[in-house]
Amino acid sequence: MRAPRLRGRSFVVYYGYGPLPEITAYDIAILEPAGWTDEDLRELGRRGVERIAYLSALEATRETLRAVGVGERELVRVGSGPWHRAAFDTYVVDPRSARWRAHVVQEARRLVAQGWDGLFLDSLGDVEDEAVSAQTAWLVPAAADLVRQVREAARDKLLVQNNGIFLLLPLVAKLLDGICWEGAFDPQALEGPWLRMVLEQLVGVVREEGVVPMLLSEIPEDADSAGRLTALRELGRRYGFLTYAAPLNYAQGIRTISGEVVRGR
């Protein structure tokens, strides 16, 4: 069994602009790199925060695709056209695309050189989406190879994967330091046998490979938030997961260690 390298006992996710002083109370901060100056990033490090940079592994806006030179033929297709994620106005790139791989690896190297302690690989769960279930035979191993390339580019820095826990994780667990399961986690569903089975399977994988498990959810402040927060935290305690519940969308603010909602800049 491999000893974990990710040592923190609390984490926060914030994609807005820093600095945000309340972040320093957390051990691990997953942040949007564009929102932080070099000096603010160094100050977080001086406060002992593990600084993990967000990096999209498979999704990109039209503007990014044009800048990278990725054409429509290099996008994953659903039905008769490219797969468009309307909620974020992004497109899913074929993980076999040489241009896209070069871009992701270059970004990983740039962030490491900038001083980040690690990378948070997002959008990899797309390869397990029901919309592309007929394509998983090639999507999943191609995504695993992309993770391998990022691992090499990140050298000795931390690497955390967001989602992709069912089919992808077993192929890449040895390359990771953390695995984050992001979801809604409805309190009633948390007691279901399917979720318990998945959690126990996930815990077995991460214990064997020394990968730190995390649960991430958006829980806005409303009449149901107290119960949902309690359920999420209890789930984390039961299975040994770190937990964080965003009170707004990830770019607007954070929930502090004490439970207060702080809006970003």
Side-chain angles (χ1 to χ4, degrees):
M1 295 178 66
R2 187 177 63 158
R5 296 199 310 145
L6 195 60
R7 298 291 186 177
R9 301 309 305 161
S10 61
F11 81 102
V12 62
V13 177
Y14 176 59
Y15 298 154
Y17 288 94
L20 200 59
E22 291 80 2
I23 285 178
T24 60
Y26 285 92
D27 298 328
I28 303 162
I30 297 168
L31 307 168
E32 165 53 54
W36 294 78
T37 66
D38 289 345
E39 178 52 35
D40 289 335
L41 184 63
R42 284 191 290 269
E43 180 60 24
L44 278 182
R46 286 192 287 267
R47 297 294 188 92
V49 180
E50 293 275 19
R51 303 151 301 173
I52 310 295
Y54 176 95
L55 177 59
S56 180
L58 291 180
E59 290 185 27
T61 63
R62 277 289 187 192
E63 292 75 15
T64 299
L65 294 174
R66 280 195 293 267
V68 176
V70 171
E72 189 167 307
R73 291 187 177 183
E74 295 167 276
L75 303 179
V76 175
R77 300 185 69 81
V78 172
S80 60
W83 189 10
H84 179 232
R85 306 303 300 262
F88 308 104
D89 196 19
T90 56
Y91 292 84
V92 182
V93 186
D94 185 332
R96 300 171 298 185
S97 165
R99 275 185 286 255
W100 180 252
R101 284 184 178 227
H103 163 73
V104 174
V105 168
Q106 182 180 4
E107 282 296 286
R109 289 174 177 154
R110 180 183 67 82
L111 293 167
V112 167
Q114 190 178 345
W116 291 87
D117 299 309
L119 305 172
F120 183 74
L121 279 183
D122 193 29
S123 64
L124 286 163
D126 289 348
V127 301
E128 298 182 355
D129 194 287
E130 185 178 353
V132 290
S133 58
Q135 303 179 64
T136 54
W138 64 266
L139 274 174
V140 171
D145 196 52
L146 177 58
V147 174
R148 177 192 59 79
Q149 288 188 299
V150 173
R151 171 76 275 171
E152 292 174 356
R155 303 197 301 273
D156 62 341
K157 300 300 183 180
L158 299 166
L159 190 60
V160 180
Q161 176 177 303
N162 191 33
N163 287 336
I165 63 172
F166 301 101
L167 302 173
L168 183 59
L169 179 61
L171 300 181
V172 300
K174 293 179 184 297
L175 307 174
L176 303 176
D177 298 292
I179 179 67
C180 183
W181 188 1
E182 180 183 4
F185 303 112
D186 180 85
Q188 294 181 340
L190 294 179
E191 297 302 321
W194 176 84
L195 186 60
R196 287 201 302 271
M197 178 193 71
V198 172
L199 285 165
E200 288 167 5
Q201 178 181 353
L202 180 57
V203 168
V205 171
V206 300
R207 283 178 178 166
E208 183 69 23
E209 300 298 342
V211 181
V212 173
M214 304 170 169
L215 292 178
L216 174 62
S217 189
E218 290 187 40
I219 301 181
E221 293 287 282
D222 56 29
D224 299 325
S225 61
R228 294 180 64 195
L229 281 168
T230 298
L232 182 70
R233 290 164 180 165
E234 176 55 32
L235 187 68
R237 282 192 291 269
R238 189 185 310 170
Y239 290 96
F241 284 68
L242 306 185
T243 62
Y244 176 70
L248 309 160
N249 72 40
Y250 300 126
Q252 289 185 327
I254 68 168
R255 180 175 273 112
T256 67
I257 292 282
S258 61
E260 299 174 40
V261 176
V262 175
R263 288 190 173 270
R265 295 172 55 188

PDB file of all heavy atoms in Angstrom, residues 165-166 181 192-205 239 241:
ATOM      1  N   ILE A 165     -14.809   8.088 -11.773  1.00  0.00           N
ATOM      2  CA  ILE A 165     -14.494   7.126 -10.706  1.00  0.00           C
ATOM      3  C   ILE A 165     -14.917   5.695 -11.012  1.00  0.00           C
ATOM      4  O   ILE A 165     -14.501   4.767 -10.307  1.00  0.00           O
ATOM      5  CB  ILE A 165     -15.138   7.559  -9.370  1.00  0.00           C
ATOM      6  CG1 ILE A 165     -16.657   7.563  -9.499  1.00  0.00           C
ATOM      7  CG2 ILE A 165     -14.635   8.925  -8.943  1.00  0.00           C
ATOM      8  CD1 ILE A 165     -17.373   7.785  -8.185  1.00  0.00           C
ATOM      9  N   PHE A 166     -15.734   5.491 -12.031  1.00  0.00           N
ATOM     10  CA  PHE A 166     -16.262   4.157 -12.273  1.00  0.00           C
ATOM     11  C   PHE A 166     -15.374   3.337 -13.210  1.00  0.00           C
ATOM     12  O   PHE A 166     -14.984   2.216 -12.890  1.00  0.00           O
ATOM     13  CB  PHE A 166     -17.681   4.248 -12.842  1.00  0.00           C
ATOM     14  CG  PHE A 166     -18.635   4.964 -11.940  1.00  0.00           C
ATOM     15  CD1 PHE A 166     -18.978   6.288 -12.177  1.00  0.00           C
ATOM     16  CD2 PHE A 166     -19.174   4.329 -10.838  1.00  0.00           C
ATOM     17  CE1 PHE A 166     -19.854   6.952 -11.334  1.00  0.00           C
ATOM     18  CE2 PHE A 166     -20.047   4.982  -9.988  1.00  0.00           C
ATOM     19  CZ  PHE A 166     -20.389   6.309 -10.232  1.00  0.00           C
ATOM     20  N   TRP A 181     -15.005  13.121  -5.989  1.00  0.00           N
ATOM     21  CA  TRP A 181     -16.308  12.757  -6.532  1.00  0.00           C
ATOM     22  C   TRP A 181     -17.217  13.951  -6.350  1.00  0.00           C
ATOM     23  O   TRP A 181     -17.592  14.300  -5.236  1.00  0.00           O
ATOM     24  CB  TRP A 181     -16.859  11.530  -5.821  1.00  0.00           C
ATOM     25  CG  TRP A 181     -18.104  10.980  -6.452  1.00  0.00           C
ATOM     26  CD1 TRP A 181     -18.746  11.436  -7.571  1.00  0.00           C
ATOM     27  CD2 TRP A 181     -18.874   9.859  -6.004  1.00  0.00           C
ATOM     28  NE1 TRP A 181     -19.856  10.668  -7.850  1.00  0.00           N
ATOM     29  CE2 TRP A 181     -19.960   9.704  -6.909  1.00  0.00           C
ATOM     30  CE3 TRP A 181     -18.744   8.975  -4.930  1.00  0.00           C
ATOM     31  CZ2 TRP A 181     -20.910   8.703  -6.758  1.00  0.00           C
ATOM     32  CZ3 TRP A 181     -19.693   7.977  -4.787  1.00  0.00           C
ATOM     33  CH2 TRP A 181     -20.770   7.834  -5.689  1.00  0.00           C
ATOM     34  N   GLY A 192     -28.860   4.661  -0.039  1.00  0.00           N
ATOM     35  CA  GLY A 192     -29.188   3.592  -0.971  1.00  0.00           C
ATOM     36  C   GLY A 192     -28.075   2.580  -1.116  1.00  0.00           C
ATOM     37  O   GLY A 192     -26.891   2.909  -0.972  1.00  0.00           O
ATOM     38  N   PRO A 193     -28.403   1.323  -1.403  1.00  0.00           N
ATOM     39  CA  PRO A 193     -27.389   0.269  -1.514  1.00  0.00           C
ATOM     40  C   PRO A 193     -26.421   0.490  -2.674  1.00  0.00           C
ATOM     41  O   PRO A 193     -25.246   0.137  -2.566  1.00  0.00           O
ATOM     42  CB  PRO A 193     -28.218  -1.005  -1.714  1.00  0.00           C
ATOM     43  CG  PRO A 193     -29.553  -0.535  -2.219  1.00  0.00           C
ATOM     44  CD  PRO A 193     -29.767   0.799  -1.595  1.00  0.00           C
ATOM     45  N   TRP A 194     -26.903   1.093  -3.778  1.00  0.00           N
ATOM     46  CA  TRP A 194     -26.008   1.314  -4.912  1.00  0.00           C
ATOM     47  C   TRP A 194     -24.887   2.273  -4.535  1.00  0.00           C
ATOM     48  O   TRP A 194     -23.718   2.016  -4.814  1.00  0.00           O
ATOM     49  CB  TRP A 194     -26.794   1.879  -6.087  1.00  0.00           C
ATOM     50  CG  TRP A 194     -25.909   2.209  -7.262  1.00  0.00           C
ATOM     51  CD1 TRP A 194     -25.473   1.365  -8.238  1.00  0.00           C
ATOM     52  CD2 TRP A 194     -25.334   3.486  -7.570  1.00  0.00           C
ATOM     53  NE1 TRP A 194     -24.656   2.027  -9.132  1.00  0.00           N
ATOM     54  CE2 TRP A 194     -24.558   3.328  -8.751  1.00  0.00           C
ATOM     55  CE3 TRP A 194     -25.393   4.747  -6.971  1.00  0.00           C
ATOM     56  CZ2 TRP A 194     -23.865   4.390  -9.326  1.00  0.00           C
ATOM     57  CZ3 TRP A 194     -24.701   5.793  -7.549  1.00  0.00           C
ATOM     58  CH2 TRP A 194     -23.949   5.610  -8.715  1.00  0.00           C
ATOM     59  N   LEU A 195     -25.240   3.375  -3.860  1.00  0.00           N
ATOM     60  CA  LEU A 195     -24.230   4.358  -3.491  1.00  0.00           C
ATOM     61  C   LEU A 195     -23.254   3.771  -2.474  1.00  0.00           C
ATOM     62  O   LEU A 195     -22.043   3.991  -2.560  1.00  0.00           O
ATOM     63  CB  LEU A 195     -24.889   5.613  -2.932  1.00  0.00           C
ATOM     64  CG  LEU A 195     -23.940   6.771  -2.641  1.00  0.00           C
ATOM     65  CD1 LEU A 195     -23.222   7.218  -3.908  1.00  0.00           C
ATOM     66  CD2 LEU A 195     -24.681   7.948  -2.024  1.00  0.00           C
ATOM     67  N   ARG A 196     -23.755   3.003  -1.535  1.00  0.00           N
ATOM     68  CA  ARG A 196     -22.858   2.383  -0.549  1.00  0.00           C
ATOM     69  C   ARG A 196     -21.882   1.432  -1.224  1.00  0.00           C
ATOM     70  O   ARG A 196     -20.698   1.386  -0.877  1.00  0.00           O
ATOM     71  CB  ARG A 196     -23.675   1.639   0.512  1.00  0.00           C
ATOM     72  CG  ARG A 196     -24.396   2.556   1.479  1.00  0.00           C
ATOM     73  CD  ARG A 196     -24.741   1.834   2.771  1.00  0.00           C
ATOM     74  NE  ARG A 196     -25.569   0.665   2.534  1.00  0.00           N
ATOM     75  CZ  ARG A 196     -26.898   0.690   2.505  1.00  0.00           C
ATOM     76  NH1 ARG A 196     -27.545   1.831   2.685  1.00  0.00           N
ATOM     77  NH2 ARG A 196     -27.596  -0.406   2.305  1.00  0.00           N
ATOM     78  N   MET A 197     -22.367   0.676  -2.209  1.00  0.00           N
ATOM     79  CA  MET A 197     -21.501  -0.243  -2.927  1.00  0.00           C
ATOM     80  C   MET A 197     -20.392   0.519  -3.661  1.00  0.00           C
ATOM     81  O   MET A 197     -19.215   0.136  -3.625  1.00  0.00           O
ATOM     82  CB  MET A 197     -22.311  -1.068  -3.921  1.00  0.00           C
ATOM     83  CG  MET A 197     -21.482  -2.046  -4.758  1.00  0.00           C
ATOM     84  SD  MET A 197     -22.412  -2.726  -6.152  1.00  0.00           S
ATOM     85  CE  MET A 197     -22.537  -1.284  -7.222  1.00  0.00           C
ATOM     86  N   VAL A 198     -20.782   1.613  -4.337  1.00  0.00           N
ATOM     87  CA  VAL A 198     -19.796   2.414  -5.067  1.00  0.00           C
ATOM     88  C   VAL A 198     -18.770   3.000  -4.114  1.00  0.00           C
ATOM     89  O   VAL A 198     -17.562   2.985  -4.379  1.00  0.00           O
ATOM     90  CB  VAL A 198     -20.502   3.533  -5.861  1.00  0.00           C
ATOM     91  CG1 VAL A 198     -19.478   4.493  -6.455  1.00  0.00           C
ATOM     92  CG2 VAL A 198     -21.358   2.932  -6.958  1.00  0.00           C
ATOM     93  N   LEU A 199     -19.230   3.511  -2.987  1.00  0.00           N
ATOM     94  CA  LEU A 199     -18.321   4.119  -2.019  1.00  0.00           C
ATOM     95  C   LEU A 199     -17.333   3.102  -1.457  1.00  0.00           C
ATOM     96  O   LEU A 199     -16.137   3.379  -1.326  1.00  0.00           O
ATOM     97  CB  LEU A 199     -19.114   4.766  -0.888  1.00  0.00           C
ATOM     98  CG  LEU A 199     -19.789   6.096  -1.248  1.00  0.00           C
ATOM     99  CD1 LEU A 199     -20.825   6.468  -0.207  1.00  0.00           C
ATOM    100  CD2 LEU A 199     -18.749   7.195  -1.373  1.00  0.00           C
ATOM    101  N   GLU A 200     -17.822   1.917  -1.147  1.00  0.00           N
ATOM    102  CA  GLU A 200     -16.939   0.890  -0.608  1.00  0.00           C
ATOM    103  C   GLU A 200     -15.910   0.446  -1.639  1.00  0.00           C
ATOM    104  O   GLU A 200     -14.739   0.218  -1.329  1.00  0.00           O
ATOM    105  CB  GLU A 200     -17.772  -0.290  -0.114  1.00  0.00           C
ATOM    106  CG  GLU A 200     -18.549   0.029   1.167  1.00  0.00           C
ATOM    107  CD  GLU A 200     -19.605  -1.002   1.497  1.00  0.00           C
ATOM    108  OE1 GLU A 200     -19.666  -2.027   0.779  1.00  0.00           O
ATOM    109  OE2 GLU A 200     -20.362  -0.787   2.464  1.00  0.00           O
ATOM    110  N   GLN A 201     -16.344   0.357  -2.898  1.00  0.00           N
ATOM    111  CA  GLN A 201     -15.415   0.003  -3.969  1.00  0.00           C
ATOM    112  C   GLN A 201     -14.367   1.105  -4.147  1.00  0.00           C
ATOM    113  O   GLN A 201     -13.172   0.826  -4.298  1.00  0.00           O
ATOM    114  CB  GLN A 201     -16.184  -0.191  -5.280  1.00  0.00           C
ATOM    115  CG  GLN A 201     -15.294  -0.511  -6.477  1.00  0.00           C
ATOM    116  CD  GLN A 201     -16.112  -0.664  -7.758  1.00  0.00           C
ATOM    117  OE1 GLN A 201     -17.331  -0.662  -7.726  1.00  0.00           O
ATOM    118  NE2 GLN A 201     -15.435  -0.781  -8.873  1.00  0.00           N
ATOM    119  N   LEU A 202     -14.815   2.349  -4.094  1.00  0.00           N
ATOM    120  CA  LEU A 202     -13.913   3.483  -4.244  1.00  0.00           C
ATOM    121  C   LEU A 202     -12.912   3.537  -3.098  1.00  0.00           C
ATOM    122  O   LEU A 202     -11.717   3.742  -3.306  1.00  0.00           O
ATOM    123  CB  LEU A 202     -14.728   4.775  -4.301  1.00  0.00           C
ATOM    124  CG  LEU A 202     -13.961   6.079  -4.458  1.00  0.00           C
ATOM    125  CD1 LEU A 202     -13.090   6.059  -5.706  1.00  0.00           C
ATOM    126  CD2 LEU A 202     -14.932   7.250  -4.511  1.00  0.00           C
ATOM    127  N   VAL A 203     -13.391   3.321  -1.896  1.00  0.00           N
ATOM    128  CA  VAL A 203     -12.501   3.335  -0.729  1.00  0.00           C
ATOM    129  C   VAL A 203     -11.437   2.245  -0.854  1.00  0.00           C
ATOM    130  O   VAL A 203     -10.269   2.455  -0.507  1.00  0.00           O
ATOM    131  CB  VAL A 203     -13.317   3.170   0.566  1.00  0.00           C
ATOM    132  CG1 VAL A 203     -12.400   2.890   1.752  1.00  0.00           C
ATOM    133  CG2 VAL A 203     -14.127   4.433   0.839  1.00  0.00           C
ATOM    134  N   GLY A 204     -11.815   1.075  -1.356  1.00  0.00           N
ATOM    135  CA  GLY A 204     -10.837   0.004  -1.532  1.00  0.00           C
ATOM    136  C   GLY A 204      -9.721   0.392  -2.479  1.00  0.00           C
ATOM    137  O   GLY A 204      -8.544   0.130  -2.221  1.00  0.00           O
ATOM    138  N   VAL A 205     -10.085   1.051  -3.585  1.00  0.00           N
ATOM    139  CA  VAL A 205      -9.085   1.477  -4.562  1.00  0.00           C
ATOM    140  C   VAL A 205      -8.153   2.510  -3.965  1.00  0.00           C
ATOM    141  O   VAL A 205      -6.923   2.410  -4.076  1.00  0.00           O
ATOM    142  CB  VAL A 205      -9.763   2.043  -5.831  1.00  0.00           C
ATOM    143  CG1 VAL A 205      -8.733   2.696  -6.755  1.00  0.00           C
ATOM    144  CG2 VAL A 205     -10.506   0.944  -6.572  1.00  0.00           C
ATOM    145  N   TYR A 239     -16.803   7.161   5.605  1.00  0.00           N
ATOM    146  CA  TYR A 239     -15.935   6.487   4.631  1.00  0.00           C
ATOM    147  C   TYR A 239     -14.533   7.093   4.537  1.00  0.00           C
ATOM    148  O   TYR A 239     -13.731   6.655   3.721  1.00  0.00           O
ATOM    149  CB  TYR A 239     -16.593   6.509   3.255  1.00  0.00           C
ATOM    150  CG  TYR A 239     -17.805   5.605   3.167  1.00  0.00           C
ATOM    151  CD1 TYR A 239     -19.085   6.123   3.345  1.00  0.00           C
ATOM    152  CD2 TYR A 239     -17.667   4.242   2.934  1.00  0.00           C
ATOM    153  CE1 TYR A 239     -20.204   5.300   3.264  1.00  0.00           C
ATOM    154  CE2 TYR A 239     -18.783   3.416   2.857  1.00  0.00           C
ATOM    155  CZ  TYR A 239     -20.050   3.957   3.026  1.00  0.00           C
ATOM    156  OH  TYR A 239     -21.149   3.137   2.952  1.00  0.00           O
ATOM    157  N   PHE A 241     -13.682  10.339   3.725  1.00  0.00           N
ATOM    158  CA  PHE A 241     -13.541  11.322   2.661  1.00  0.00           C
ATOM    159  C   PHE A 241     -13.370  12.723   3.246  1.00  0.00           C
ATOM    160  O   PHE A 241     -14.007  13.062   4.251  1.00  0.00           O
ATOM    161  CB  PHE A 241     -14.786  11.354   1.771  1.00  0.00           C
ATOM    162  CG  PHE A 241     -14.907  10.214   0.812  1.00  0.00           C
ATOM    163  CD1 PHE A 241     -15.142   8.918   1.260  1.00  0.00           C
ATOM    164  CD2 PHE A 241     -14.811  10.429  -0.551  1.00  0.00           C
ATOM    165  CE1 PHE A 241     -15.280   7.871   0.368  1.00  0.00           C
ATOM    166  CE2 PHE A 241     -14.951   9.389  -1.451  1.00  0.00           C
ATOM    167  CZ  PHE A 241     -15.177   8.104  -0.991  1.00  0.00           C
TER     168      PHE A 241
END
